[in-house]
Amino acid sequence: MAWTSFKRVSAALVVSFPVAILGAAGAQAALITEWTYQIDSAFTAFSPAGVTGSNPNANLGNAPTTLQWGTGGNGPSSLVVDATVTDPPTLSTGGGPVAGASITHNNNPIGGETLTSATLSTQLVLTAANDPTITQQLDSVFQIDFTETGNVGNCGFESVSSCDDIFVLLNPEVLVENFVVDDFIYTITLGAQGLGPLSDATCAAAGQPSGCVGFTTQEGQANNLQTLFSISAEQVRIPEPASLALLGFGLLGMGAVVRRRRPTA
């Protein structure tokens, strides 16, 4: 009885498997060429305890979009990210970059406790322009190390102001992310003017190894980092119908061998 069940199941698989593959090969979905998008951002972690957060983003669990730290006559320093980017231009697959969230470091001379690290979380929701039922959500986490430098003339690294502060992105791999819709792999690439590999001396001043990625900010300035991102696509390769047909014939042959192998009484 067990043998009979196996024979029936195997025969069904032999017949249906190649037919299913051939059907999939013939049904190629179209490339999504235009997208609309919304971006939400907030700081979901930061240290030390003396840093304060404000301006919560309700779309990200009420995490703050503004961090403040330090004391002094010039007021605290702060790090501010756009809570939500809405009504943006259309994002074109294979086209140029468009604006994402903007980050501003208000770099003031301060005393007291300073920010040392922060986690910036973002949620990007893409919607196909020609079919609003097709959406894709990408949740990204940016691990940031921050160095508040002393305001001295000689920093030991290249500096525009008396001594620029240093932001280092500890997980730069998050700048490129992929997702799949139907027959295409889409790649999101994020960047910003001023964001990139820092000099060995700057990395060393931040306590990071050579080749670290980040940006620096001038003392006494409102330093803005405008992020930009683009999308590209690559079609998933599916075997040619002729190759699939050969596979199907091979499986049918295996089915014939199974039928000949009957148990002896």
Side-chain angles (χ1 to χ4, degrees):
M1 193 70 181
W3 172 261
T4 303
S5 298
F6 173 76
K7 181 177 69 175
R8 289 175 180 171
V9 171
S10 63
L13 288 173
V14 166
V15 172
S16 64
F17 181 67
V19 172
I21 295 180
L22 287 168
Q28 295 276 336
L31 172 72
I32 301 172
T33 59
E34 302 289 336
W35 307 80
T36 60
Y37 62 93
Q38 176 172 316
I39 305 170
D40 280 285
S41 305
F43 297 104
T44 51
F46 49 91
S47 63
V51 177
T52 61
S54 59
N55 299 323
N57 185 341
N59 294 330
L60 288 179
N62 287 321
T65 57
T66 298
L67 303 180
Q68 289 185 323
W69 64 91
T71 58
N74 294 301
S77 287
S78 64
L79 188 63
V80 183
V81 64
D82 291 337
T84 304
V85 178
T86 58
D87 297 324
T90 301
L91 175 67
S92 299
T93 302
V98 295
S102 175
I103 304 170
T104 301
H105 177 213
N106 295 298
N107 189 356
N108 296 318
I110 60 167
E113 200 166 39
T114 179
L115 178 75
T116 59
S117 65
T119 299
L120 174 62
S121 297
T122 66
Q123 183 182 90
L124 168 64
V125 178
L126 295 165
T127 303
N130 65 342
D131 186 353
T133 65
I134 300 177
T135 63
Q136 182 69 36
Q137 178 175 311
L138 293 177
D139 297 309
S140 303
V141 175
F142 301 86
Q143 301 291 347
I144 301 168
D145 178 85
F146 175 67
T147 300
E148 181 94 47
T149 60
N151 299 326
V152 296
N154 183 11
C155 305
F157 64 93
E158 303 87 344
S159 180
V160 177
S161 61
S162 58
C163 209
D164 297 347
D165 288 348
I166 308 168
F167 288 87
V168 175
L169 179 60
L170 300 178
N171 58 333
E173 65 276 5
V174 77
L175 296 174
V176 179
E177 302 222 30
N178 301 297
F179 63 91
V180 176
V181 177
D182 295 324
D183 302 323
F184 292 88
I185 299 174
Y186 295 87
T187 300
I188 295 288
T189 303
L190 177 67
Q193 185 174 4
L195 174 65
L198 300 175
S199 70
D200 291 349
T202 305
C203 292
Q208 300 296 328
S210 296
C212 70
V213 173
F215 60 97
T216 60
T217 57
Q218 297 179 42
E219 195 70 34
Q221 300 287 330
N223 301 266
N224 179 260
L225 185 78
Q226 176 62 62
T227 65
L228 301 167
F229 71 101
S230 60
I231 186 169
S232 59
E234 181 178 359
Q235 190 169 12
V236 178
R237 297 300 177 189
I238 296 177
E240 294 294 331
S243 300
L244 292 172
L246 290 174
L247 174 62
F249 286 130
L251 290 173
L252 287 171
M254 291 173 60
V257 172
V258 169
R259 285 195 295 273
R260 286 197 295 269
R261 294 179 55 191
R262 297 182 179 275
T264 57

